[in-house]
Amino acid sequence: MSVLVLHHRGSLRGTPYDRWLADYDGDVLLLGSRRHLDLVGEDLPGAGSGYRHVEALDGYEAGGTVEPRAVDLAREHGVRHIIACQEQDLERAARLRELLGLPGQRLPSTIPYRNKLVMKDMARAAGIPVAPYAAVECAADVIAFAGERGFPIVVKPRDSAGSIGVKVIGSQEELDRYLAEDAGLHGPFQPNLLVESYVPGAMCHVDGLVVDGRVVFAWPSQYLFALSTFKEDTGGRLDVTLDPDDPLSRRLLELADRVLAALPGPRHFAFHAEVFHTPDDRLVLCEIACRNGGASIRDIMRALFGADPTECWVRAQLGLPLPIDTAGPRLRPSTMAGQLVLVKRAGRVVAVPQERPFPWVEKYNIFVRPGQVMNGPAFSADFLASFVVTGPDRRTCESRMRQVEAWFLGGLVIEPLTGDGPSGPARRPAGGEGTDAR
């Protein structure tokens, strides 16, 4: 009896499935992406790990290699469960479970969380506010939507993650350029796009864990940056939890509950819901995913509730005991927390601060090393470094993140790729898990 883990993206050191499943009565097999392991600078676990079989595949992202290999491993090792925690693996895992007759999440409870068009249809039918939107089958659909709704508009893939492929279009001139250049609207294949009105305001998110069909814990946070600007905005990107006595906290939690009730979910899953808080105090659903939030959101949830939501999600699928009470009332946070991330920028890394400077920095991850040549960020979670801080309230957490940012940039040296020499300590913001610098 074995369990097969599909691992599309991120650090294996940060997601030690073998340790999480050390008490599983069977073998643990792993299929990963060679490209994404290279991005985080990791090799496959070697001798001494708890895996029976580990393998990194080329072409993992494009498909066509993972499924045949997964079927071969399932038949060879008697796989009884397939675990997939990254968004791009969810549909693949659901189809494999159906093909192999295995338990777990199937397509009917996967598609509404992966296809944003289906998601918005179901949410709107349940009376949940969403931005005006439309399917895009050709360029004329975008033109018609802009003509009816005006600018700005947002065009994005229906199944994107990490803000990949999201385009904010603010004028007719920008739309003309987009329609002339964007490959998503050209070629023989039907576009996998939708268009929606741009919603002004702050972006909040609610992250939580569902076990046996009920929410065990959940908490709201607010991004202090725009997710879609990761390629242009290299500054520190802050994300902080909302205080328990903030009226917005209650409203966001209630909206998340309504969204979960409107969509068909599996028995056990983590979720990450993004919600606009508009200047006129409305809450508008952006989207929801049945997986953990990116960056250091797992670490924030661990600080708040004393348990890793991914570990709990994995163990719940295999019927293993969890480190938290899942039968009692919904858990309450023990502290507040926030994360600071800095995305990569082009250049050669000369020096990166190594030591954690303050006792309230719960985790400090470095994703690059001296001598490494960086390109610009490929997706919103393509990080240079990340920090998790804790504090008694939101205001303290935000202040501490600003303090950490100043310390880090004071010791960061990046050499331009032009050959003009080191840039010196970074005086301006320079902005998966990587090296844990705790």
Side-chain angles (χ1 to χ4, degrees):
M1 182 173 69
S2 301
V3 56
L4 173 63
V5 178
L6 303 180
H7 185 84
H8 170 258
R9 174 180 291 176
S11 167
L12 285 171
R13 286 196 293 268
T15 48
Y17 304 100
D18 57 335
R19 291 211 316 267
W20 291 345
L21 299 177
D23 56 342
Y24 174 67
D25 187 20
D27 296 325
V28 181
L29 319 175
L30 174 74
L31 278 182
S33 163
R34 169 56 60 196
R35 174 175 175 267
H36 276 276
L37 285 176
D38 289 344
L39 279 175
V40 297
E42 289 186 9
D43 295 319
L44 286 170
S49 73
Y51 296 104
R52 173 67 181 271
H53 177 89
V54 293
E55 190 173 341
L57 300 178
D58 294 322
Y60 188 106
E61 295 73 25
T65 60
V66 179
E67 289 82 351
R69 189 66 186 120
V71 170
D72 288 344
L73 288 172
R75 291 170 176 164
E76 179 182 352
H77 294 273
V79 167
R80 294 294 177 264
H81 296 275
I82 294 177
I83 297 295
C85 296
Q86 273 102 33
E87 186 157 6
Q88 291 85 348
D89 280 328
L90 294 176
E91 287 179 75
R92 170 181 282 143
R95 294 182 189 280
L96 284 169
R97 293 186 191 107
E98 291 181 352
L99 175 65
L100 297 169
L102 301 180
Q105 186 175 15
R106 300 292 183 89
L107 286 173
S109 64
T110 303
I111 297 300
Y113 288 91
R114 287 287 294 131
N115 187 313
K116 294 173 175 56
L117 191 62
V118 175
M119 177 193 307
K120 291 174 186 292
D121 284 346
M122 298 184 77
R124 185 171 63 180
I128 295 166
V130 296
Y133 65 95
V136 173
E137 309 297 343
C138 63
D141 295 323
V142 184
I143 295 169
F145 187 87
E148 178 183 354
R149 296 289 180 175
F151 295 99
I153 60 173
V154 182
V155 181
K156 58 186 176 183
R158 301 176 191 179
D159 59 356
S160 66
S163 299
I164 297 173
V166 177
K167 181 68 174 178
V168 180
I169 301 170
S171 67
Q172 185 63 50
E173 291 74 21
E174 291 181 17
L175 177 57
D176 290 343
R177 286 196 299 272
Y178 172 77
L179 296 178
E181 300 170 1
D182 191 85
L185 288 167
H186 305 296
F189 302 106
Q190 178 176 319
N192 179 36
L193 300 172
L194 65 83
V195 59
E196 61 187 9
S197 295
Y198 178 86
V199 180
M203 174 70 87
C204 301
H205 57 100
V206 180
D207 297 271
L209 175 70
V210 173
V211 176
D212 285 325
R214 61 185 296 269
V215 177
V216 175
F217 61 71
W219 203 252
S221 303
Q222 182 177 331
Y223 296 120
L224 305 184
F225 61 92
L227 288 173
S228 61
T229 62
F230 66 91
K231 290 189 176 181
E232 301 83 20
D233 177 12
T234 57
R237 301 162 78 82
L238 278 66
D239 177 22
V240 64
T241 54
L242 300 184
D243 293 327
D245 60 356
D246 187 334
L248 186 59
S249 295
R250 174 185 55 79
R251 294 172 58 197
L252 286 165
L253 289 169
E254 290 175 351
L255 181 63
D257 285 345
R258 290 176 58 196
V259 176
L260 292 173
L263 303 183
R267 284 184 61 202
H268 317 291
F269 67 105
F271 66 88
H272 173 71
E274 294 179 345
V275 181
F276 299 108
H277 182 213
T278 67
D280 58 353
D281 198 32
R282 292 179 298 116
L283 296 182
V284 179
L285 175 68
C286 176
E287 57 193 55
I288 185 171
C290 58
R291 44 87 177 164
N292 282 302
S296 296
I297 289 176
R298 276 176 51 212
D299 298 309
I300 290 176
M301 293 294 103
R302 187 189 296 118
L304 266 60
F305 300 106
D308 186 320
T310 301
E311 178 183 3
C312 292
W313 177 19
V314 168
R315 290 181 62 85
Q317 292 178 76
L318 300 180
L320 299 175
L322 304 188
I324 54 175
D325 179 15
T326 62
R330 189 177 298 189
L331 301 181
R332 300 283 294 176
S334 61
T335 185
M336 291 291 99
Q339 63 172 323
L340 162 69
V341 298
L342 296 108
V343 297
K344 293 176 182 175
R345 63 177 180 178
R348 185 184 305 276
V349 181
V350 177
V352 184
Q354 295 292 320
E355 297 301 322
R356 183 176 60 176
F358 309 106
W360 32 259
V361 174
E362 299 293 330
K363 194 165 187 179
Y364 168 26
N365 280 338
I366 304 169
F367 297 88
V368 296
R369 57 190 178 275
Q372 180 177 339
V373 174
M374 295 187 294
N375 297 313
F379 49 94
S380 63
D382 198 2
F383 297 144
L384 172 65
S386 69
F387 305 82
V388 174
V389 309
T390 55
D393 51 41
R394 170 184 173 163
R395 184 174 182 177
T396 302
C397 289
E398 188 173 342
S399 174
R400 287 175 173 178
M401 285 187 283
R402 298 292 185 192
Q403 189 175 349
V404 170
E405 181 181 12
W407 164 81
F408 179 81
L409 295 176
L412 175 68
V413 182
I414 297 178
E415 181 181 71
L417 296 178
T418 58
D420 295 333
S423 63
R427 301 303 180 189
R428 298 178 61 192
E433 300 193 35
T435 302
D436 187 345
R438 289 182 295 179

